[in-house]
Amino acid sequence: MSGTAREQALTTAVLAAVPGALLVVARGGVIRFCNRAAESLFGYDSGALAGESVDQLVPAALRESHARLRAAFAGQARERTMGGGLVVAARRHDGSEFPAMIALKPAMLAGESVITALVRDVSEGVESEQAMRGYADSLSRANAELERFAAAAAHDMNEPLRAIAGYCALALDHSAGPTDAQVRRWLEQARDGATRLRAVVDGLLRHARSAGAALAVEPVAADAAFANVRSDLELLIAQSAARVTHDPLPTVQADPALLEQLLRNLLANALQYRGEAAPVIHLAYRRHAGHHVFALSDNGIGIEADAHQRIFEIFGTLPARSPGTGVGIGLAVCKTIVARHGGEIWVSSVPGAGATFHFTLPVRDAARPEP
Amino acid sequence: MTAGNGTGFAPVVLVEDSPSDRELACEALAAGRLANPLLTFVSGEEALAALAARSPGEAPPVLILLDLNLPGMSGRELLEVLRRTPSLAAIPVVALTSCDDDHDFLRGEGLPVDAYLTKPVTPARLFAAAARVERLASGLLTRPRVR
């Protein structure tokens, strides 16, 4: 064998051994060379592809545009990588199709300008991507459905609740005699029960809303938001002789209504789970690692370590000190609100010596929309 | 339709499909300071038919308390018909909702209503709404307090 013949044999052997489908296409679309992997990928017998038009390897419907694109590519003669390219439809000899990614590179071969192409079957990747997308779609549909259900259920429960509370109140207004004292007490219990359940139902509705409604993120002065919340809870603060203070607070990117609800729920929680002493509540602030970190500490009854996760679940509340005050949704709402803003919420506590609720909000550029 | 006490005063209209909400509103308003007669309707269709059939000399309602979640013609649909019917367009409307939370939600929709009121309907809530929105107060009549 001559040196040239040996080199040629080596080249052919190397090309045949390339772990991938390789095609060499001349101007005009004629396949000058292909390796065995390419033949088997497209379902051709050995030697059956060389000399054929590359346009056969695309679905009939795309042939015309493929020929046009091919001519344009030959004119530009630049490299296109496999990862950067799009997934295109490829056609096997038997007419079946598969998604493919194709890397193209112009080259000179024996004085002729050609395009080398590496073709990869990406069926599996496409299928798993479709499966993932389908899963995500069904999950978001299920979530939306659940939110609608919660909102509808909350509305439908309110009507009978109004009936119970309303008729009890009516009966109370009309029963004034001393013999009715026991009946009056029962009616009061029923009315108060309905009022408590009403709070639960409204809480559920708020929870469904806080999870479902679109976020309207804008710059919010946290000190103004906290001042609003304090005035909302003024009566409760005055009744418990609580001292409520805060550090200088920043302007944050948040949904103003949801931020106030978050602060309101946390402050109400601190006032509710008070100890024997008058509540001392402080909202601390620091900036850490690209996050606003808020911490609302109280001197209340505190929370056992094994409940630190559970309290953020719906109805995961501690037994309330006075009956009927623990609604069990407030902290779940807090968790949802913080998560929707891209932050985290957690609690640290020494039982008997108070609790601190920490939450973070990412420091965001005002101009940049919600991710 | 349930007629009120026939005082000859212009009525307050309540459109509410829930029998208990309707009765409790009637009881509460009758026991309170409101002197206007109360006309109640169980559906939007019934309310609209009665309002349209009003004789020329009859005073229009001073306001309409409207449940937004009605079966059949919804409260929103009734509202739309009211607003584009010249003889009814000027009547103030108070939308009745189940939760306080609904108000912000509905305000976002920009419904052509004068105020929102969370059920149950009570004289206190009605007069509180009237204190905020002048248009509502104009036709409301109060009974003198009995000593």
Side-chain angles (χ1 to χ4, degrees):
Chain A
M1 221 191 310
S2 75
T4 314
R6 239 199 342 269
E7 267 173 32
Q8 205 166 7
L10 181 67
T11 307
T12 308
V14 167
L15 291 177
V18 167
L22 177 73
L23 296 157
V24 179
V25 181
R27 257 177 208 272
V30 177
I31 298 170
R32 282 275 182 266
F33 170 86
C34 68
N35 65 1
R36 185 61 209 127
E39 289 167 344
S40 82
L41 178 64
F42 286 96
Y44 285 79
D45 290 338
S46 183
L49 255 182
E52 297 291 331
S53 167
V54 75
D55 294 338
Q56 284 190 56
L57 304 181
V58 298
L62 302 175
R63 246 165 238 174
E64 209 176 299
S65 60
H66 182 252
R68 220 174 24 247
L69 289 170
R70 183 164 47 70
F73 183 78
Q76 292 173 2
R78 60 180 170 81
E79 187 169 340
R80 194 174 89 188
T81 56
M82 194 173 269
L86 294 169
V87 174
V88 296
R91 181 184 182 274
R92 296 188 189 92
H93 190 222
D94 64 6
S96 62
E97 293 175 17
F98 63 93
M101 281 179 93
I102 302 171
L104 300 170
K105 186 169 185 172
M108 291 300 287
L109 199 72
E112 184 187 20
S113 88
V114 295
I115 293 163
T116 58
L118 266 173
V119 183
R120 190 156 61 94
D121 181 348
V122 292
S123 313
E124 234 170 72
V126 168
E127 273 162 26
S128 68
E129 198 184 310
Q130 275 169 350
M132 282 301 289
R133 206 176 297 140
Y135 179 66
D137 283 353
S138 70
L139 199 64
S140 86
R141 269 199 307 277
N143 267 336
E145 192 55 40
L146 198 63
E147 281 152 21
R148 272 196 297 278
F149 169 78
H155 272 116
D156 288 354
M157 282 190 270
N158 268 338
E159 194 265 349
L161 278 174
R162 275 196 304 275
I164 297 167
Y167 285 111
C168 286
L170 209 51
L172 282 165
D173 287 348
H174 289 263
S175 68
T179 50
D180 286 333
Q182 180 69 347
V183 176
R184 283 184 64 87
R185 204 179 65 76
W186 291 335
L187 284 169
E188 280 163 7
Q189 296 280 353
R191 182 197 57 197
D192 294 350
T195 305
R196 286 197 300 278
L197 191 49
R198 174 79 192 260
V200 174
V201 168
D202 285 353
L204 274 175
L205 183 62
R206 266 198 300 281
H207 184 255
R209 291 248 170 91
S210 64
L215 276 192
V217 173
E218 56 184 75
V220 187
D223 53 358
F226 194 58
N228 288 344
V229 166
R230 280 184 60 165
S231 83
D232 287 350
L233 297 175
E234 204 176 351
L235 191 64
L236 215 56
I237 293 170
Q239 276 172 356
S240 55
R243 206 156 63 86
V244 182
T245 54
H246 65 84
D247 286 351
L249 300 174
T251 292
V252 298
Q253 287 291 317
D255 183 308
L258 291 182
L259 180 67
E260 283 192 13
Q261 196 178 344
L262 168 65
L263 293 169
R264 190 181 302 115
N265 289 6
L266 290 177
L267 183 54
N269 194 73
L271 291 165
Q272 183 184 333
Y273 291 100
R274 57 169 291 181
E276 296 303 324
V280 177
I281 298 166
H282 181 74
L283 179 59
Y285 170 79
R286 70 197 165 97
R287 193 164 157 165
H288 177 71
H291 281 79
H292 302 289
V293 185
F294 295 85
L296 188 83
S297 59
D298 62 52
N299 60 339
I301 56 174
I303 302 155
E304 297 287 345
D306 64 356
H308 285 191
Q309 300 283 329
R310 184 167 46 82
I311 52 168
F312 292 107
E313 291 164 16
I314 246 182
F315 298 123
T317 189
L318 298 160
R321 291 194 84 224
S322 50
T325 49
V327 159
I329 300 169
L331 291 175
V333 170
C334 291
K335 188 181 173 183
T336 307
I337 291 172
V338 172
R340 292 199 63 200
H341 284 84
E344 285 182 61
I345 187 166
W346 69 97
V347 66
S348 58
S349 172
V350 177
T356 303
F357 284 84
H358 313 256
F359 70 89
T360 67
L361 296 173
V363 175
R364 265 195 211 124
D365 204 337
R368 215 171 61 207
E370 183 196 357
Chain B
M1 180 179 95
T2 313
N5 57 19
T7 51
F9 295 139
V12 167
V13 163
L14 171 67
V15 191
E16 169 63 75
D17 65 306
S18 157
S20 55
D21 280 342
R22 217 165 44 236
E23 184 178 15
L24 289 168
C26 290
E27 290 290 342
L29 293 178
R33 290 191 296 138
L34 184 72
N36 303 71
L38 186 68
L39 286 182
T40 65
F41 301 98
V42 301
S43 71
E45 289 87 344
E46 204 193 69
L48 197 59
L51 289 172
R54 191 162 45 90
S55 62
E58 217 174 316
V62 295
L63 62 91
I64 298 174
L65 298 163
L66 175 63
D67 179 21
L68 289 178
N69 293 312
L70 292 170
M73 175 188 264
S74 73
R76 284 178 178 74
E77 286 165 337
L78 176 59
L79 196 54
E80 207 188 301
V81 177
L82 290 175
R83 288 313 188 211
R84 64 179 150 80
T85 306
S87 62
L88 305 174
I91 304 173
V93 174
V94 177
L96 304 180
T97 69
S98 264
C99 309
D100 295 340
D101 263 36
D102 290 340
H103 299 183
D104 287 339
F105 212 66
L106 292 167
R107 269 187 205 108
E109 269 186 50
L111 288 181
V113 299
D114 295 86
Y116 293 93
L117 192 156
T118 305
K119 290 191 268 190
V121 176
T122 63
R125 288 178 190 203
L126 182 57
F127 283 109
R132 285 193 303 271
V133 183
E134 201 180 340
R135 206 160 94 91
L136 294 176
S138 60
L140 288 181
L141 299 167
T142 53
R143 240 190 285 280
R145 283 181 200 282
V146 182
R147 284 171 195 270

